Amino acid sequence: STAFVQWVGEKTPISDTSYVGIDAILEQMRRKAMKQGFEFNVMVVGQSGLGKSTLMNTLFKSKVSRKSVQPNVEERIPKTVEIKSVSHDVEEKGVRMKLTVIDTPGFGDQINNENCWQPIMKFINDQYESYLQEEININRKKRIPDSRVHCCIYFIPPTGHCLRPLDVEFMRHLSKVVNIVPVIAKADTLTLEERDSFKKTIREELRANGIDVYPQKEFDEDAEDRMINDKIREMTPFAVVGSDQEYQVNGKRILGRKTKWGTIEVENIAHCEFAYLRDLLIRTHMQNIKDITCSIHYETYRVRRLNESNILFTSNPPDHPAVQPKANGQPEEQPATPQPNGVAAQHEALSHEM
Amino acid sequence: SAIFCEIREEKKHHNDKGVRSLSLAGHVGFDSLPDQLVNKSICQGFCFNILCIGETGIGKSTLMDTLFNTNFENFESSHFEPQVKLRAQTYDLQESNVRLRLTVVNTVGFGDQMNKQESYQPVVDYIDRQFESYLQEELKIKRSLHNYHDSRVHACLYFISPSGHSLKSLDLVTMKKLDSKVNIIPVIAKADTISKSELHKFKIKIMSELVSNGVQIYQFPLDDETVAKVNTTMNGHLPFAVVGSTEEVAVGNKMVKARQYPWGVVQVENENHCDFVKLREMLICVNMEDLREQTHTRHYELYRRCKLEELGFKDTDSECKPVSLQQTYEAKRQEFLVELQKREDEMRQMFVQRVKDKEAELKEAERELQSRFEQLKRLHAEEKAALEEKKRLLDDDLSSFGKRKAAAQLLQAQSLTANGKKDKDRKK
């Protein structure tokens, strides 16, 4: 037990006679991270035509979207929601990252869109499942490949009125399993006043429906965190415009959209909120987004999954084939307490051994 | 007016994983990721656990004090401990903006016993207990690994006595038992008692003995080119010959940590005098993170694998098809339930048998009692009859006696009256 914190030393320019070197661990960590590289998996969801691919390309300043990878394929709207992943290795100032962009063509494009969120939910849960399977192996990989969806960007069409039932349904179900960052797509069709009122309406509707989008209030770590995140929550959802074309404006080359009435500068915060989205997603909160996925969403899935399979096994006699739990992973009501023998297999065995 | 420009053509090529490499057309900003990661760690703080194994009085506590510039609570241990024990103490240290939760584990009484055959066992047990604790947490359903206070031993400093000759057999046995469980860094303690030339020979002897006995000590890692060079050099200086001291002595115009002898001053941080600075460099400044990582990805994984295999878990079944843990668990559980049922039945049968036996016993006793009672009753009746007979005889006797008595009295009375008549007759 510890009573108080002991200061061991400080590297000062004057004297380092009392320097231990504990703070060198920061540099060691940084080196290790640079060597290992990072992974980031982002999903885009929204009706076709809302500029999802363009926004991804704008965010990552290269052709990362699925469409850019297969430019010659005829774009047709699929009959059901499809999930298509594309991965790229990118590098910036020595930092290497494997970026995976997951597209969901067909979402919201059918005549009957009931349950079109289900294939997406299934995909997300499947990634949790494969991570879990690897994690419980006896011989497991040093670094478990992480295909879990860290962030889901949801594109709201710029109607200017309110959320549609499809938007509410999707976000209500998915916000429980993944970090959702809602954005107002093609925001250049809204005036600033329309934009603000639209945002306010959306925020109220999210609140009314109990939908927690990223950054979720309950995961703020401390007062400083809360302060920073409150500011972000006041701006949600970001009104964005995407572009992969550069123009010369005032002697500078900037990304923008040229129209007859002016050029919309994508990275100009007076024009749209793209820069805020980019900063949130990439420059300041990327690690936190991954942490929430890892330590909260994944753990929630794991708890549910381990309890579920125990219930199944206690109710099925051994000569029945092993039943797979419901694939759509619809969050069911959990039993208030775990079954008396319902603990993780290995934990149970260990306790018996004790 | 705006000038239309084409976006630059990116170079695309596939790497060996089939994942495309893209070059970026501008600054995206994910180069801040290492900083984001580091900031998170600063908020959380770090954990580091050192185990010091060495004989009583060899200087373990002093060295820790010197390394970390503090006075940890130190107890002078007795040499009469019947068994080797381990004493762990945890401290919160801070340097600049880095908070470190340091746990120092010292052996107590190591090397003091007459019979040292089991000396290594408490150490192995302690290390395994920390792994076990982590494994338990990892396997919980509701777990909190990022809040978990990691008590697994990251580095083991093994203190070699400065005999100048060779390793003791206790040293070899202990290190051999530990080399697959913990990162071992051997140090020569109280190195100021050995001369430079003796030291050089001593180090070579020690390293060759370790090699010939197959002891795997911790190698400072060479895979990162930033530190590969210094680590290679340091690997060649093992084991580090250290001197510890928290006393300060004036040398020139500075106060330095040193040990003052009549013949001179041994300066702890003077690399010509001892390898203390090298140890500090390697243990803390350069490789602390690697020590933690090796513990987690190598030693802990090995423990986990062995433990789970011991319990009968496999990743594939006899046909090499992947077996889910749930299947294994269910099979084991059925086995266990069947065993349980069998034992229950056995117990029940045994109980029923015992009841029967007892019942028979009791019935037998009852019967016995009954027959004895009957017997007694008979005896009783016989005696009673006999007594009655006696009584009758007595009564008869009594009555015949009574009759005789009456007859005798009558005779007496008659004789008296007859005598009285005679007397009367005389008088007349």
Side-chain angles (χ1 to χ4, degrees), chain A residues 10-23:
Chain A
E10 202 148 4
K11 193 161 200 172
T12 66
I14 307 156
S15 85
D16 57 1
T17 51
S18 63
Y19 179 59
V20 174
I22 295 174
D23 57 0

Side-chain angles (χ1 to χ4, degrees), chain B residues 211-357:
Chain B
V211 166
S212 58
N213 281 280
V215 176
Q216 305 261 13
I217 59 170
Y218 176 73
Q219 290 292 300
F220 304 121
L222 307 174
D223 47 0
D224 185 337
E225 70 264 338
T226 335
V227 294
K229 193 150 166 265
V230 66
N231 277 345
T232 314
T233 315
M234 294 297 183
N235 276 327
H237 283 285
L238 284 170
F240 293 133
V242 293
V243 172
S245 174
T246 48
E247 307 274 310
E248 290 198 333
V249 173
V251 171
N253 56 355
K254 277 170 53 175
M255 293 297 280
V256 295
K257 290 195 270 258
R259 286 178 62 77
Q260 179 146 57
Y261 291 105
W263 48 88
V265 176
V266 179
Q267 294 162 43
V268 168
E269 281 166 308
N270 185 332
E271 294 202 56
N272 287 323
H273 290 194
C274 73
D275 297 330
F276 173 82
V277 171
K278 294 189 173 73
L279 175 66
R280 187 177 60 196
E281 259 307 281
M282 287 292 100
L283 185 65
I284 302 175
C285 305
V286 177
N287 299 306
M288 194 193 271
E289 183 57 31
D290 185 71
L291 284 161
R292 281 155 36 109
E293 186 172 347
Q294 292 293 322
T295 304
H296 180 63
T297 58
R298 206 149 55 86
H299 301 300
Y300 168 71
E301 282 299 306
L302 181 64
Y303 175 85
R304 176 182 176 273
R305 195 160 51 236
C306 292
K307 190 64 192 244
L308 294 177
E309 278 172 2
E310 215 178 278
L311 292 170
F313 290 99
K314 310 188 284 280
D315 281 336
T316 63
D317 63 12
S318 49
E319 295 137 34
C320 287
K321 284 206 295 287
V323 176
S324 84
L325 258 149
Q326 274 74 22
Q327 279 174 287
T328 313
Y329 168 60
E330 184 52 28
K332 286 210 128 211
R333 203 171 145 268
Q334 286 308 312
E335 221 178 278
F336 175 72
L337 284 176
V338 163
E339 179 69 33
L340 195 69
Q341 188 64 30
K342 197 167 75 162
R343 286 224 219 128
E344 215 180 296
D345 289 340
E346 269 174 37
M347 272 176 66
R348 194 172 295 125
Q349 264 186 354
M350 201 165 39
F351 179 72
V352 166
Q353 187 59 36
R354 284 232 210 112
V355 166
K356 278 206 193 119
D357 289 345

Side-chain angles (χ1 to χ4, degrees), chain A residues 6 9 18 20-23 28 30 32 61 89 92 136 138-140 283 287 291 302 341 346, chain B residues 15 20 25 28-29 35-36 40 69 92 95-96 139-140 284-285 289 293 301 305 315 325 333:
Chain A
Q6 304 174 12
S18 63
V20 174
I22 295 174
D23 57 0
Q28 296 171 34
R30 190 170 280 126
K32 183 176 99 175
K61 296 236 160 81
D89 280 338
E92 193 168 59
I136 61 179
I138 310 279
N139 282 305
R140 53 189 188 181
R283 295 189 184 178
Q287 185 59 45
D291 290 340
R302 181 178 174 275
N341 56 358
Q346 295 154 332
Chain B
N15 65 16
R20 297 142 50 88
V28 175
D35 287 327
Q36 293 182 37
K40 178 183 98 169
N69 249 348
D92 278 330
E95 188 166 59
S96 318
L139 293 178
K140 278 195 186 148
I284 302 175
C285 305
E289 183 57 31
E293 186 172 347
E301 282 299 306
R305 195 160 51 236
D315 281 336
L325 258 149
R333 203 171 145 268

